[in-house]
Amino acid sequence: MSGSIFGTLFKVINWGESHGPAVGAVVDGCPAGLPLSEADIQPLLDKRKPGQSHLVTQRKESDTVQILSGVVDGITTGTPISLYIPNQSQRSKDYHNMQQVFRPSHADFTYFKKYGLRDVAGGGRSSARITAGWVAAGAIAMKILDTEGIQIMAWVSQVGNIKTNLNANDITTELIEHSATRCPDKKQAKLMEQKILEVRKQGDTIGGCIRCKVKHVPVGLGEPVYDKLEADLAKAMLSINASKGFTIGSGFEGVELQGSEHNDLFINDGDSIKTKTNRSGGIQGGISNGMDIDFSVAFKPVSTLLMPQSTVDTEGNEQILQVKGRHDPCVVPRAVPIVEAMAALVLCDHLLRSRCSKLR
Amino acid sequence: MSGSIFGTLFKVINWGESHGPAVGAVVDGCPAGLPLSEADIQPLLDKRKPGQSHLVTQRKESDTVQILSGVVDGITTGTPISLYIPNQSQRSKDYHNMQQVFRPSHADFTYFKKYGLRDVAGGGRSSARITAGWVAAGAIAMKILDTEGIQIMAWVSQVGNIKTNLNANDITTELIEHSATRCPDKKQAKLMEQKILEVRKQGDTIGGCIRCKVKHVPVGLGEPVYDKLEADLAKAMLSINASKGFTIGSGFEGVELQGSEHNDLFINDGDSIKTKTNRSGGIQGGISNGMDIDFSVAFKPVSTLLMPQSTVDTEGNEQILQVKGRHDPCVVPRAVPIVEAMAALVLCDHLLRSRCSKLR
Amino acid sequence: MSGSIFGTLFKVINWGESHGPAVGAVVDGCPAGLPLSEADIQPLLDKRKPGQSHLVTQRKESDTVQILSGVVDGITTGTPISLYIPNQSQRSKDYHNMQQVFRPSHADFTYFKKYGLRDVAGGGRSSARITAGWVAAGAIAMKILDTEGIQIMAWVSQVGNIKTNLNANDITTELIEHSATRCPDKKQAKLMEQKILEVRKQGDTIGGCIRCKVKHVPVGLGEPVYDKLEADLAKAMLSINASKGFTIGSGFEGVELQGSEHNDLFINDGDSIKTKTNRSGGIQGGISNGMDIDFSVAFKPVSTLLMPQSTVDTEGNEQILQVKGRHDPCVVPRAVPIVEAMAALVLCDHLLRSRCSKLR
Amino acid sequence: MSGSIFGTLFKVINWGESHGPAVGAVVDGCPAGLPLSEADIQPLLDKRKPGQSHLVTQRKESDTVQILSGVVDGITTGTPISLYIPNQSQRSKDYHNMQQVFRPSHADFTYFKKYGLRDVAGGGRSSARITAGWVAAGAIAMKILDTEGIQIMAWVSQVGNIKTNLNANDITTELIEHSATRCPDKKQAKLMEQKILEVRKQGDTIGGCIRCKVKHVPVGLGEPVYDKLEADLAKAMLSINASKGFTIGSGFEGVELQGSEHNDLFINDGDSIKTKTNRSGGIQGGISNGMDIDFSVAFKPVSTLLMPQSTVDTEGNEQILQVKGRHDPCVVPRAVPIVEAMAALVLCDHLLRSRCSKLR
């Protein structure tokens, strides 16, 4: 019960530490009959991996995934899929001076107090490195969603105070991948890039936002009461390292509206029932209504800085900490595939759950 | 698997519909030995119940809870606690004209599509009435938290575009309960009240925000990876009817800061290790760090309006809907105890989970 | 986590004590669209209720079930079904002399040590009275199984050392219900009845066995590895009060056979693939093979005797206990519907689980 | 939800197939602070591994376990422990002639029907090879139990119709390991050995029983109602390949007794409350009473025979099957550590669960 299992029918069990031999995940509940190979998973891992651009950490990891079980002759068998990703570039010595010192706004202090010990190297289990396993599992979920036409697309919508003004409907994967920032707005992407390089030069970091759209969602995913689709998405997003907020549809801005301005009126567009507007963000009463699911996630600036900070050690003595190591100056470019993967896990789980809603 | 079970060790199973004979909850996992009677639960239910002020729905419900099991001679026995709250003021006829029509931004359409049928009266299972069971269960969780000194306090921080400017440390329960709005800022509370009465007169509704603080939290609640404390709080909050967003600590504002501005530096205050600032909102790496937990929830304007709205019926024909019935013009005053209850469920669950973190 | 929740997709949450106001259950995960009323549930409860014959306890309980939620206009809505069964004949004073004394082979001692307190009246949560809720939930599961043609039939196969010799294929519900013993073998049923009346006269009790067949099971229910169909049946059966053993197919007798004698050879009977024999008991590799599921359950003699027994009290002093109260001299006649109900819960859960085995 | 997850607080997730690159398990919920290395796990794996004696399959597997996560500097960190056991001796070609044919009493037919495909080599997921992962996980559970003095000991009590007559209290690990049969009764062990060698020569197989005792169990493990300790043990044992029955305490023999003969009378032995006899098998009302837990498991003869058998193929045509490959003539000698491991998982899970029974 270490909090490492996600999902109810499509479950992911995540394991591994930053500086151990490998990180991995087991996917339990993948239906039999899905064509699957490492080549389906690797591209999403490549979007997440370190060292992919000048904006991210220069730790060298190929993040090459191996499927150890659950697939025979390129087809899933309905049994657990074990995913294995070796760690290649551990540099535990970077962490020697942190042995007794709590890095500010990191998990050092809380792990130490919770467990009575901690894995110092690379932050151990609290490292964003372990999201490699999440992403690998998410790639399988995406393949299942793809069989029903469901598509997930996330992008960087803000870095520091620089925001995109693009209409969400104009955004394409090509535009997103055009810039190392993963912001589809060319002009703003350039400003974001400058900002990230500037804070990196200072040894500092900067926050950002990611927005995500899920298209072609069938009506009926999500459960009433506690397992509302937006509730499970919120949990998924807040489980990502450094995330501090989640909004669906109108979010905090909808608060200022009156119901007569906010309500999404139903219309018949010939083929199906739609809504004129989508302030609901594609979910009503916890259940998808067929409109695009549309949510945003806030990420704080990375807490590991390459500048001196005051802190305390395990004895409570004040210390000045000077961190070494290879770190991201801004988390959002690499968090895009993580947001997509977690969204895929939630949707895939609810897709399977929806098979049991009605008597046949 | 209807999404009606919340928690892992301290579990709540919620049942009931707006216009059935009763709503209720079963609490599974309450430790033996807790003094408990209906008198411990009723006050929180009274904060949630309809008809308590001129700002809320005038549906008359005493919301009187009965404990049917799990307590003998005023002490919990460690077995499930069944909580029963009779419905008294069903007026199903108010809903006759909605039988074939989907109310905008309500759950009518999604339930109908998901289940092939729906319980029209009062919205059935999608009604906020079922949160009575959540609140009753939350009151038990609060009693357990109270044995460890943990205290939860929520208040209305925004209605429409009216916000409080009060320092969170100056807020007391007395100030919150001073106004029917549950905003502790007397001046702003008055403006909020005017706003709510004004939209009610129009047959319209308005959104709002609730902020919640949890004090005296021990270090070590929450699990790494997926069951981070903030992730479970986010899920809990997004499961509340009409909620559209969640932030912890610096939230979406922290996005604009650099790490050197955002990091909470550790200090030794003599008795314990604290942080100078609390932009983390009391949680680091998914685990409580002993500072106040501090989060906010956005609520959209209630979707049920007492003014005509265009919509479609189950056949896809366009219709003008004129709703009758008794509804809240603004959900936040009554949502305060729901936010508190859900926060209590999350914290109590993690308090029990934390008992298994270390080898004895 | 008091052990009161059963199932993964079709879940039952059970609550209540022997001498509280009521016992009940919440069924979570029943698909929408099932016609359901109290009249579907009551007959199975009547098979379990006390006072139904001269062979069972004379406690008077009508065990009248009320459905409090989850059903509208006689159809399930896909939301939790709350089942409520009032207790009518509490006689807590029968238990006054047991307040400080542990009844032999009962749960008094273990509950007291586990929880630090116990609910003396009627054994509280350890009473077989709480199986009323199990049976009510099982009746709903049976209705779902019935829509797929799956039928469950259990009977008394042994009381003391008296066994039936009937061929299982000749057994009908009529034969089973012909005798208050629920043994379909008229001659042996008479001997069993005499035995039960004889031990009752002595203030003593006697053990027995129940055998259960499930017919028309589709191939493919059950999961590999830990959630094998027989594993879940074994758990279900061993959770019934007083049960001490479970066998599937050849059971302990199969141990003495060689593989060449034991193996069930596949044959093609024209319509489908069957096996010549059924020593597997209808399950192979944890998954139903389409043959009848065939298992047996052993029940020890009821531990509550109406004769003096030596024991100790909560202080450890030796005591002579003389129990009063109304008790069953033999548990198996009333346990037949409990076995059927628990089998139904397991099969219904796996029926829903099987919907997610394959990609669509 | 492929049935590959066991436990509630101490969870094991099992993955792998007979002829894939590896089998493994992830242990989630192991408390922090336990000294742990591969050397703690290997001995139990060695008891299970093939090729260890002339009585078992000659497949050559060293079953060398690697710990990939969750342990730093020889101490568990409270995070998931990933266990990896490479497969070395896959001989998939042994299975070519089975591609289209269903082996009698094996899982071939049911897997094929459930999933629409199957992993023929070595039985894929249905192979007993995957129990290596169970045993590795169980070894960790045993280390935890050991910190509280709880000890588990299983032995072969029957092969074919040959049974031991030894008093259970006289049995020691040395006696058990003295014979390759793992029967502690030297005389009967010899007869069992002859029987196994005899059936092997015939290309046939034979069934057997295993009995298991758990000593020094604290009072209070197990939960009322569905998660009774014996119910979870029954599930664990029936999940083991080839098991067909489970009894606790008096089992099917207790059925013939009267309550006055069967009840275990409480006595005060000075230090603690005990029972004179132990027909309850150490569990009353689902909860351990401090006496030895005592249960037995029946295993059918292995279904893979090295003699011709009639069967059908995937087209329904009758076929004569002649199996090649390396198989066990009798499963019980190698099943002893599996029974011990599964018992350890159940007890460790309930040990952690018991931490939450009472308010502190």
Side-chain angles (χ1 to χ4, degrees):
Chain A
M1 289 276 289
S2 71
S4 299
I5 304 183
F6 191 81
T8 60
L9 292 187
F10 190 88
K11 278 185 200 281
V12 176
I13 298 93
N14 182 287
W15 59 267
E17 282 90 34
S18 178
H19 287 236
V23 297
V26 182
V27 173
D28 186 45
C30 181
L34 182 77
L36 186 73
S37 75
E38 281 89 350
D40 294 310
I41 300 171
Q42 198 60 51
L44 202 67
L45 277 171
D46 290 346
K47 282 178 73 174
R48 194 214 72 94
K49 79 176 173 192
Q52 63 182 282
S53 84
H54 60 303
L55 297 185
V56 304
T57 172
Q58 295 306 304
R59 177 169 171 164
K60 287 294 174 209
E61 292 285 355
S62 69
D63 278 0
T64 306
V65 69
Q66 300 166 43
I67 297 175
L68 297 180
S69 67
V71 177
V72 167
D73 297 337
I75 308 287
T76 59
T77 58
T79 59
I81 302 169
S82 180
L83 301 164
Y84 182 86
I85 303 164
N87 284 335
Q88 299 178 311
S89 179
Q90 305 101 311
R91 292 211 323 226
S92 301
K93 66 178 161 44
D94 286 351
Y95 296 88
H96 281 180
N97 67 328
M98 285 179 235
Q99 203 78 35
Q100 307 302 331
V101 171
F102 301 127
R103 286 171 294 168
S105 285
H106 218 285
D108 297 345
F109 172 68
T110 54
Y111 273 57
F112 182 70
K113 285 288 185 180
K114 182 179 185 72
Y115 297 114
L117 50 86
R118 71 189 168 98
D119 180 10
V120 173
R125 187 77 181 138
S126 73
S127 166
R129 169 129 200 86
I130 65 158
T131 59
W134 315 12
V135 165
I140 299 175
M142 276 184 203
K143 266 215 99 174
I144 294 172
L145 295 173
D146 198 52
T147 65
E148 311 244 349
I150 303 169
Q151 290 180 338
I152 298 173
M153 187 171 67
W155 64 90
V156 170
S157 57
Q158 184 174 351
V159 167
N161 61 7
I162 308 158
K163 307 180 187 185
T164 83
N165 306 306
L166 272 198
N167 184 321
N169 293 324
D170 296 338
I171 293 173
T172 64
T173 304
E174 291 65 38
L175 282 173
I176 296 168
E177 291 300 319
H178 183 270
S179 158
T181 59
R182 292 209 164 89
C183 172
D185 180 334
K186 292 188 187 183
K187 198 174 129 220
Q188 299 304 92
K190 191 142 263 173
L191 293 175
M192 290 175 183
E193 191 177 334
Q194 288 168 2
K195 183 71 186 173
I196 294 171
L197 293 173
E198 178 192 319
V199 297
R200 152 172 281 178
K201 203 175 296 174
Q202 298 164 9
D204 212 339
T205 61
I206 186 79
C209 285
I210 290 175
R211 187 167 168 190
C212 183
K213 280 215 162 193
V214 191
K215 294 182 182 218
H216 312 305
V217 182
V219 185
L221 305 192
E223 303 287 334
V225 191
Y226 303 123
D227 296 351
K228 289 187 170 82
L229 190 54
E230 66 268 48
D232 280 349
L233 284 168
K235 172 166 176 151
M237 296 308 140
L238 266 293
S239 75
I240 303 175
N241 305 39
S243 75
K244 301 300 285 181
F246 170 86
T247 57
I248 179 97
S250 62
F252 282 85
E253 290 166 25
V255 161
E256 308 203 358
L257 299 181
Q258 295 192 197
S260 55
E261 300 165 304
H262 190 280
N263 276 359
D264 296 317
L265 301 180
F266 287 110
I267 53 172
N268 185 336
D269 84 339
D271 290 328
S272 60
I273 292 172
K274 292 233 154 61
T275 60
K276 259 188 186 170
T277 49
N278 186 22
R279 293 191 189 89
S280 299
I283 305 176
Q284 290 175 330
I287 299 167
S288 62
N289 68 357
M291 301 295 288
D292 289 355
I293 293 175
D294 183 359
F295 64 87
S296 291
V297 190
F299 292 88
K300 66 168 187 171
V302 172
S303 52
T304 307
L305 312 182
L306 300 180
M307 46 170 63
Q309 295 178 88
S310 73
T311 184
V312 301
D313 61 21
T314 53
E315 306 294 314
N317 303 313
E318 301 203 351
Q319 299 282 357
I320 298 298
L321 174 74
Q322 174 69 56
V323 173
K324 286 178 269 182
R326 301 150 298 179
H327 300 280
D328 286 285
C330 180
V331 83
V332 287
R334 286 179 62 208
V336 162
I338 305 172
V339 165
E340 290 174 337
M342 291 308 294
L345 293 181
V346 170
L347 283 156
C348 187
D349 194 30
H350 279 284
L351 188 68
L352 292 178
R353 289 180 74 162
S354 74
R355 291 188 181 182
C356 296
S357 303
K358 288 188 222 176
L359 200 68
R360 273 193 184 156
Chain B
M1 289 278 288
S2 72
S4 300
I5 303 183
F6 190 82
T8 60
L9 290 188
F10 190 88
K11 278 184 199 282
V12 176
I13 300 93
N14 181 288
W15 58 268
E17 282 91 33
S18 177
H19 287 235
V23 297
V26 181
V27 173
D28 186 44
C30 180
L34 182 75
L36 187 72
S37 75
E38 283 88 351
D40 294 310
I41 301 171
Q42 198 60 50
L44 202 67
L45 278 171
D46 290 346
K47 281 178 72 172
R48 194 214 72 94
K49 79 176 173 190
Q52 63 182 278
S53 83
H54 60 300
L55 297 184
V56 304
T57 173
Q58 296 306 303
R59 177 169 172 166
K60 288 294 175 206
E61 293 284 356
S62 69
D63 279 0
T64 306
V65 68
Q66 299 166 43
I67 297 175
L68 297 179
S69 67
V71 177
V72 167
D73 297 336
I75 307 286
T76 59
T77 58
T79 59
I81 302 170
S82 179
L83 300 164
Y84 182 87
I85 303 165
N87 285 333
Q88 297 179 311
S89 179
Q90 306 98 316
R91 289 208 331 221
S92 300
K93 68 179 159 44
D94 285 352
Y95 295 89
H96 281 180
N97 68 328
M98 285 177 232
Q99 202 78 37
Q100 308 301 332
V101 172
F102 300 127
R103 286 172 294 168
S105 285
H106 219 284
D108 296 347
F109 171 68
T110 53
Y111 273 56
F112 182 70
K113 286 287 186 182
K114 183 179 186 72
Y115 297 114
L117 52 87
R118 71 187 165 101
D119 179 9
V120 174
R125 186 81 180 134
S126 72
S127 166
R129 168 128 201 85
I130 65 155
T131 58
W134 315 13
V135 166
I140 299 175
M142 276 183 205
K143 266 215 98 173
I144 294 171
L145 295 174
D146 199 50
T147 65
E148 311 244 349
I150 303 169
Q151 290 181 335
I152 299 173
M153 187 173 67
W155 64 90
V156 170
S157 57
Q158 184 174 352
V159 167
N161 59 9
I162 308 159
K163 304 179 188 185
T164 83
N165 305 306
L166 272 197
N167 184 320
N169 292 325
D170 297 338
I171 292 173
T172 63
T173 305
E174 291 64 39
L175 281 172
I176 296 168
E177 291 301 319
H178 181 272
S179 158
T181 58
R182 292 207 164 92
C183 171
D185 180 333
K186 290 187 187 184
K187 197 174 130 220
Q188 298 305 90
K190 192 143 262 174
L191 294 174
M192 290 176 183
E193 190 176 336
Q194 286 167 5
K195 183 70 184 175
I196 294 171
L197 292 174
E198 178 193 317
V199 298
R200 152 172 278 177
K201 206 176 293 174
Q202 297 164 9
D204 212 339
T205 61
I206 186 79
C209 286
I210 290 175
R211 187 166 169 192
C212 183
K213 279 215 161 190
V214 191
K215 295 181 181 216
H216 312 305
V217 183
V219 185
L221 305 193
E223 303 286 335
V225 191
Y226 302 124
D227 297 351
K228 289 186 170 83
L229 191 55
E230 66 267 48
D232 280 349
L233 284 169
K235 171 164 176 153
M237 295 308 139
L238 266 294
S239 75
I240 303 175
N241 306 41
S243 75
K244 302 300 285 181
F246 169 87
T247 56
I248 179 97
S250 62
F252 282 86
E253 289 165 26
V255 161
E256 308 203 359
L257 300 180
Q258 295 190 198
S260 56
E261 301 166 303
H262 191 278
N263 276 359
D264 295 317
L265 302 181
F266 287 109
I267 51 170
N268 186 337
D269 84 340
D271 290 327
S272 60
I273 292 171
K274 294 231 151 63
T275 61
K276 259 188 188 170
T277 49
N278 187 20
R279 293 192 189 89
S280 300
I283 305 176
Q284 290 174 330
I287 299 168
S288 61
N289 68 356
M291 301 295 288
D292 289 354
I293 293 176
D294 183 359
F295 63 87
S296 290
V297 190
F299 292 88
K300 66 169 188 169
V302 172
S303 53
T304 307
L305 313 181
L306 300 180
M307 47 170 61
Q309 294 178 89
S310 75
T311 185
V312 302
D313 61 21
T314 54
E315 306 294 314
N317 302 313
E318 300 203 352
Q319 298 283 356
I320 297 297
L321 174 73
Q322 174 68 57
V323 173
K324 286 180 270 183
R326 302 151 297 178
H327 301 281
D328 286 284
C330 180
V331 83
V332 285
R334 286 181 62 208
V336 163
I338 304 172
V339 165
E340 291 173 336
M342 291 307 294
L345 293 181
V346 170
L347 284 157
C348 187
D349 194 30
H350 279 283
L351 187 69
L352 291 178
R353 290 179 74 162
S354 74
R355 290 190 182 182
C356 297
S357 304
K358 289 188 220 173
L359 199 67
R360 273 189 186 162
Chain C
M1 288 277 290
S2 71
S4 300
I5 303 183
F6 191 82
T8 60
L9 290 188
F10 189 88
K11 277 185 201 281
V12 177
I13 299 93
N14 181 287
W15 57 267
E17 282 89 32
S18 177
H19 287 234
V23 297
V26 181
V27 173
D28 186 45
C30 181
L34 181 76
L36 186 73
S37 75
E38 282 89 350
D40 294 311
I41 301 171
Q42 198 60 50
L44 202 67
L45 277 172
D46 290 345
K47 282 179 71 174
R48 195 215 70 95
K49 79 175 172 192
Q52 63 181 283
S53 85
H54 59 303
L55 298 184
V56 304
T57 172
Q58 296 305 305
R59 177 170 170 163
K60 289 294 176 207
E61 291 286 355
S62 69
D63 276 1
T64 305
V65 67
Q66 299 166 42
I67 297 175
L68 297 180
S69 67
V71 177
V72 167
D73 299 337
I75 307 286
T76 59
T77 58
T79 59
I81 302 170
S82 180
L83 301 164
Y84 182 86
I85 303 166
N87 285 335
Q88 297 178 311
S89 180
Q90 306 99 314
R91 291 209 324 224
S92 301
K93 67 177 159 47
D94 286 352
Y95 296 89
H96 280 179
N97 67 328
M98 285 179 234
Q99 203 77 36
Q100 307 302 332
V101 172
F102 301 127
R103 286 172 294 168
S105 284
H106 218 285
D108 296 346
F109 172 68
T110 53
Y111 272 58
F112 181 71
K113 285 288 186 180
K114 184 180 184 73
Y115 297 115
L117 51 87
R118 69 187 169 102
D119 179 9
V120 174
R125 187 78 181 135
S126 72
S127 167
R129 169 128 201 87
I130 65 156
T131 59
W134 313 14
V135 165
I140 299 175
M142 277 184 202
K143 268 216 97 173
I144 294 171
L145 295 174
D146 199 51
T147 65
E148 310 243 352
I150 303 168
Q151 288 180 338
I152 298 173
M153 188 172 67
W155 64 90
V156 170
S157 58
Q158 184 174 350
V159 167
N161 60 8
I162 308 158
K163 305 180 187 185
T164 83
N165 305 306
L166 272 196
N167 184 320
N169 292 325
D170 297 339
I171 292 173
T172 63
T173 305
E174 290 66 37
L175 281 173
I176 296 167
E177 291 300 320
H178 182 271
S179 159
T181 59
R182 292 209 164 90
C183 171
D185 181 332
K186 288 187 189 185
K187 198 175 129 221
Q188 299 306 90
K190 192 143 262 173
L191 293 174
M192 289 176 184
E193 190 177 335
Q194 286 166 4
K195 183 70 185 172
I196 294 171
L197 293 174
E198 179 193 319
V199 299
R200 153 173 280 176
K201 206 175 294 172
Q202 298 164 8
D204 212 338
T205 61
I206 186 80
C209 285
I210 290 175
R211 188 166 167 191
C212 183
K213 280 214 160 192
V214 190
K215 296 180 180 221
H216 311 306
V217 182
V219 186
L221 305 193
E223 302 289 333
V225 193
Y226 303 123
D227 297 350
K228 290 188 169 80
L229 190 54
E230 67 268 48
D232 280 349
L233 284 169
K235 171 165 176 150
M237 296 307 140
L238 265 295
S239 76
I240 303 176
N241 305 42
S243 75
K244 301 301 286 182
F246 170 86
T247 57
I248 179 98
S250 62
F252 281 85
E253 290 165 26
V255 161
E256 307 203 359
L257 299 180
Q258 294 190 200
S260 56
E261 300 166 304
H262 190 279
N263 275 0
D264 296 317
L265 301 180
F266 286 111
I267 52 173
N268 186 337
D269 84 340
D271 290 329
S272 60
I273 292 172
K274 292 234 152 60
T275 60
K276 260 188 184 169
T277 48
N278 187 21
R279 292 191 190 90
S280 299
I283 305 175
Q284 290 175 332
I287 299 168
S288 62
N289 69 355
M291 303 295 290
D292 288 355
I293 293 175
D294 184 358
F295 65 86
S296 291
V297 190
F299 292 88
K300 66 167 188 172
V302 171
S303 53
T304 307
L305 312 182
L306 301 180
M307 47 172 62
Q309 294 179 89
S310 74
T311 186
V312 300
D313 62 21
T314 53
E315 305 295 313
N317 302 312
E318 301 203 351
Q319 298 282 356
I320 298 297
L321 174 73
Q322 174 67 59
V323 174
K324 286 180 267 181
R326 300 151 298 179
H327 300 282
D328 287 284
C330 180
V331 82
V332 286
R334 287 178 62 205
V336 163
I338 304 172
V339 165
E340 291 174 337
M342 291 308 295
L345 293 181
V346 171
L347 284 156
C348 187
D349 193 30
H350 279 284
L351 187 69
L352 292 177
R353 289 179 74 161
S354 73
R355 291 188 181 182
C356 297
S357 305
K358 289 188 221 177
L359 200 68
R360 275 197 181 154
Chain D
M1 288 279 290
S2 72
S4 300
I5 304 182
F6 191 82
T8 60
L9 290 189
F10 190 88
K11 278 184 200 281
V12 176
I13 298 92
N14 181 289
W15 58 268
E17 282 91 33
S18 178
H19 288 236
V23 297
V26 181
V27 173
D28 185 44
C30 182
L34 183 76
L36 186 73
S37 75
E38 283 87 350
D40 294 309
I41 301 172
Q42 199 60 50
L44 203 67
L45 278 171
D46 291 345
K47 281 179 72 173
R48 193 214 72 94
K49 78 176 173 192
Q52 62 181 281
S53 84
H54 59 303
L55 298 184
V56 304
T57 173
Q58 296 305 305
R59 177 169 173 165
K60 289 293 174 208
E61 292 285 355
S62 69
D63 279 359
T64 305
V65 68
Q66 299 166 42
I67 297 174
L68 298 179
S69 66
V71 178
V72 167
D73 297 336
I75 308 286
T76 59
T77 57
T79 60
I81 302 170
S82 181
L83 301 164
Y84 182 86
I85 303 165
N87 285 334
Q88 297 178 311
S89 179
Q90 305 102 311
R91 292 213 321 229
S92 301
K93 65 178 162 43
D94 285 350
Y95 297 89
H96 281 180
N97 67 330
M98 285 178 233
Q99 202 79 35
Q100 307 301 331
V101 172
F102 301 127
R103 286 171 295 168
S105 285
H106 217 286
D108 296 346
F109 172 68
T110 53
Y111 272 59
F112 182 69
K113 286 288 185 179
K114 182 178 185 75
Y115 297 115
L117 51 87
R118 69 187 168 100
D119 180 9
V120 174
R125 187 79 180 135
S126 72
S127 166
R129 170 130 199 85
I130 65 157
T131 58
W134 315 14
V135 166
I140 299 175
M142 275 183 206
K143 267 217 99 174
I144 295 172
L145 294 174
D146 199 50
T147 64
E148 311 244 349
I150 303 170
Q151 289 181 337
I152 298 174
M153 187 173 67
W155 65 90
V156 170
S157 57
Q158 184 175 350
V159 167
N161 59 8
I162 308 159
K163 305 180 188 185
T164 82
N165 305 306
L166 271 198
N167 184 320
N169 292 325
D170 297 338
I171 293 173
T172 64
T173 304
E174 290 66 36
L175 282 172
I176 296 168
E177 291 300 319
H178 182 270
S179 158
T181 59
R182 293 210 165 89
C183 172
D185 179 334
K186 289 187 186 183
K187 198 176 126 216
Q188 299 305 91
K190 192 142 263 175
L191 294 174
M192 290 176 183
E193 191 177 336
Q194 287 168 2
K195 183 70 186 173
I196 294 172
L197 292 174
E198 179 194 317
V199 298
R200 154 172 279 177
K201 205 175 293 173
Q202 298 164 9
D204 211 340
T205 61
I206 185 78
C209 285
I210 290 174
R211 188 166 167 191
C212 184
K213 279 215 162 193
V214 191
K215 295 180 181 218
H216 311 305
V217 183
V219 186
L221 305 193
E223 301 288 334
V225 190
Y226 302 124
D227 297 351
K228 290 186 168 83
L229 190 56
E230 67 267 49
D232 280 349
L233 284 169
K235 171 164 177 152
M237 297 306 140
L238 266 294
S239 76
I240 302 175
N241 305 41
S243 75
K244 301 300 284 182
F246 170 86
T247 56
I248 178 98
S250 61
F252 281 86
E253 290 165 26
V255 161
E256 308 203 358
L257 299 181
Q258 294 191 200
S260 55
E261 301 166 303
H262 191 280
N263 276 1
D264 295 318
L265 302 182
F266 286 110
I267 51 170
N268 186 335
D269 84 340
D271 290 329
S272 60
I273 292 172
K274 293 232 150 64
T275 61
K276 260 189 186 169
T277 49
N278 187 20
R279 295 194 186 87
S280 300
I283 305 175
Q284 291 174 329
I287 299 167
S288 62
N289 69 356
M291 301 295 289
D292 288 356
I293 293 176
D294 183 0
F295 63 86
S296 291
V297 190
F299 291 89
K300 66 167 188 170
V302 171
S303 53
T304 307
L305 312 181
L306 300 180
M307 47 172 60
Q309 295 180 89
S310 75
T311 185
V312 302
D313 63 20
T314 55
E315 306 294 315
N317 302 314
E318 300 201 352
Q319 299 282 357
I320 298 296
L321 174 72
Q322 174 67 57
V323 174
K324 285 180 269 183
R326 301 151 298 178
H327 300 281
D328 286 284
C330 181
V331 83
V332 286
R334 286 179 63 209
V336 163
I338 305 172
V339 165
E340 290 174 336
M342 290 308 293
L345 293 181
V346 171
L347 283 156
C348 187
D349 194 28
H350 279 284
L351 187 69
L352 291 178
R353 289 179 74 163
S354 74
R355 292 189 182 182
C356 298
S357 303
K358 289 188 223 176
L359 200 67
R360 276 193 184 160

